Amino acid sequence: MRRGTGDHEEFLRATLRHADLLHALAARLAVRPADVSDLVQETYLRAFAAWHSRRPDDVGAWLATICLNVGRDERRRHSRRDTALHDGPLPDIPDRADTAEAALERLGNSWVETALWTLPETQRIAITLMDVCGFTAAQVAAITGAPRGTVLARVHRGRKALALTIRGEPSRAATRGAGDEARR
Amino acid sequence: MKHDAEQLAAAYLTTMRRRGRRRYEAHLLACEPCWREVCLARRGRQLAEASREAAPPGLRDEIRAAVTAAATVPADRPHARAPIALAVAMTLAMVAGATMAALPWHHGPPVPATAPTVLAAAVASYRDNQLPGTAVPGELAPDLTRLSLHPVAAATGQLDGMPVTTFTYVNAAGARLAIYRSTRPFPEAAEAHALGGEDSAWTMRSSGITVICARGTHTMLLLGSDAALVKQAGAVLHAT
């Protein structure tokens, strides 16, 4: 069975205008900068595969949700591959220092980009979706599956941590426990 | 007054209604912790917003090519990567050709006038990342996978009236290389240096781009910004 030509043209008309948004999100999800385009392309292919059975009302939020899922899958795949290649004892779960180290490897990116990579993932994604992609708190809540209050807390703490990191001050906001968020 | 400065500042910058905002703004003037919360969060938001950037220029073409290719693959094999990759390469070649036809020839600074015009056109074509035509070539792109260079576009057309077939390649680092083949020999530039021997290859540099013209019949040009990569490609293709 082949999909109709009109089907894919309609899909592209509805989705291509969100390419900038998805690229911005993918750039903050991809394990390696070289993977960003692949992540965006995979997002579009998965979305297209689902397009014939679903026409979402909010196409941008729908694509962002798929992009987040693709990013998680990619990270799991990388994690499995890294584990398989590791001969010695299994490595610990990466801590914030590892994330910061990975961020330093992204030489050539701006200070802000580097600072974003030092944030906990939930904050980085929340800030990216709201401040970079332009989604509302309600949309981010729908995309991430987190309560709206939690989204607002993540965004606020992430913004504060970003400002403090750029100023060269240590931030407690970024590392506050998930329990604080769950209360909201 | 006992209050959660973080929660109030978060609400103020996102969802607080007009009346609440007015009351909170009056409170801000007298409350240092709240003032600091708002200033930091505002600064963080500005920084995050400033990091917005447009997607790379070729991304939409890549997406269009991938989706178009997927539309031609049977739906029960949505992840048949190999046929999709092949179709993507072909579609990109056509898209690049169409882009070439739609845009004016010269965009950047003028190429030095000493180079023969066909060479100047080749350098301008490479520099502007445009193909010299829209027709799909009848020949395959030379294999440069030994140098981790993969073909991304191909077209047949004309450079300053000279019939050429062009193949462009990129490697994982983003370095680009172009090959121009013609049925006629390319003219030698006045500033060209022979690479040695009879009917030898010659090389020149123009606008930061290295050009090598293949030895023998001189019907093939190699162009790239990375001089070492151009030389390596020349060696792989027995052009030097």
Side-chain angles (χ1 to χ4, degrees):
Chain A
M1 184 184 97
R2 286 168 192 270
R3 301 177 190 96
T5 308
D7 201 31
H8 93 270
E9 286 296 343
E10 183 199 355
F11 170 79
L12 288 170
R13 268 197 303 277
T15 58
L16 263 188
R17 63 198 148 103
H18 300 291
D20 284 342
L21 175 162
L22 285 181
H23 183 266
L25 181 57
R28 289 154 186 89
L29 289 172
V31 179
R32 298 173 307 179
D35 294 338
V36 174
S37 291
D38 286 349
L39 213 155
V40 174
Q41 210 172 94
E42 180 64 22
T43 299
Y44 271 89
L45 288 176
R46 283 198 199 179
F48 180 55
W51 182 252
H52 67 282
S53 59
R54 185 176 175 199
R55 297 286 193 276
D57 294 333
D58 188 343
V59 174
W62 178 64
L63 289 170
T65 308
I66 294 172
C67 190
L68 279 181
N69 290 336
V70 173
R72 286 192 193 108
D73 290 350
E74 286 296 314
R75 192 158 323 154
R76 270 196 291 272
R77 206 173 2 251
H78 271 278
S79 165
R80 271 203 300 274
R81 194 172 59 200
D82 291 348
T83 304
L85 291 171
H86 193 78
D87 288 334
L90 288 176
D92 293 334
I93 294 168
D95 60 17
R96 283 195 73 242
D98 292 328
T99 310
E101 196 173 303
L104 287 174
E105 287 173 12
R106 298 175 155 255
L107 291 175
N109 283 9
S110 69
W111 277 101
V112 177
E113 288 298 320
T114 306
L116 271 171
W117 276 92
T118 66
L119 298 180
E121 187 184 73
T122 52
Q123 291 179 13
R124 185 173 73 249
I125 288 172
I127 283 192
T128 301
L129 290 169
M130 264 187 92
D131 292 342
V132 181
C133 299
F135 288 114
T136 65
Q139 282 176 308
V140 177
I143 291 167
T144 59
R148 190 157 156 274
T150 303
V151 168
L152 291 177
R154 286 174 180 169
V155 169
H156 182 72
R157 287 176 189 161
R159 285 171 177 169
K160 266 175 39 180
L162 195 57
L164 289 169
T165 304
I166 295 291
R167 269 179 19 185
E169 293 178 26
S171 163
R172 282 182 300 142
T175 52
R176 279 178 66 170
D180 285 356
E181 291 179 348
R183 279 191 292 131
R184 291 163 196 273
Chain B
M1 186 174 90
K2 190 173 179 183
H3 59 278
D4 184 334
E6 190 177 72
Q7 195 172 15
L8 282 174
Y12 173 65
L13 292 173
T14 48
T15 58
M16 197 178 277
R17 291 178 190 277
R18 189 182 295 173
R19 182 181 293 179
R21 289 175 66 83
R22 277 205 299 267
R23 282 174 51 198
Y24 183 68
E25 280 161 3
H27 165 76
L28 277 179
L29 298 175
C31 180
E32 181 58 29
C34 284
W35 179 257
R36 182 178 148 81
E37 280 289 324
V38 169
C39 287
L40 277 175
R42 270 200 180 130
R43 178 72 184 131
R45 183 174 66 185
Q46 283 171 352
L47 288 166
E49 286 173 348
S51 73
R52 283 179 188 164
E53 57 184 32
L59 184 70
R60 282 177 176 76
D61 289 341
E62 287 175 22
I63 293 167
R64 181 176 284 282
V67 170
T68 304
T72 63
V73 172
D76 56 351
R77 292 169 57 208
H79 293 288
R81 291 285 189 168
I84 288 178
L86 184 63
V88 166
M90 290 172 65
T91 312
L92 276 175
M94 288 189 280
V95 168
T99 307
M100 169 63 209
L103 294 173
W105 183 255
H106 291 291
H107 291 295
V111 175
T114 51
T117 52
V118 66
L119 297 177
V123 169
S125 170
Y126 173 85
R127 182 193 58 208
D128 297 339
N129 197 12
Q130 294 183 5
L131 298 172
T134 55
V136 177
E139 56 186 307
L140 291 173
D143 184 8
L144 291 175
T145 49
R146 278 170 60 189
L147 301 175
S148 300
L149 283 164
H150 301 284
V152 290
T156 294
Q158 294 210 332
L159 273 183
D160 195 38
M162 188 169 175
V164 291
T165 294
T166 309
F167 303 99
T168 62
Y169 302 76
V170 292
N171 65 15
R176 200 158 50 84
L177 182 120
I179 294 175
Y180 294 86
R181 277 179 167 168
S182 180
T183 52
R184 304 195 324 233
F186 287 97
E188 186 171 338
E191 65 270 36
H193 302 286
L195 291 174
E198 201 172 327
D199 291 331
S200 76
W202 55 258
T203 184
M204 60 174 267
R205 199 157 166 84
S206 176
S207 304
I209 295 163
T210 298
V211 180
I212 289 179
C213 183
R215 65 185 165 89
T217 56
H218 296 126
T219 54
M220 178 167 70
L221 289 179
L222 295 100
L223 287 87
S225 302
D226 183 334
L229 190 63
V230 178
K231 281 180 191 162
Q232 287 169 358
V236 168
L237 298 173
H238 306 292
T240 55

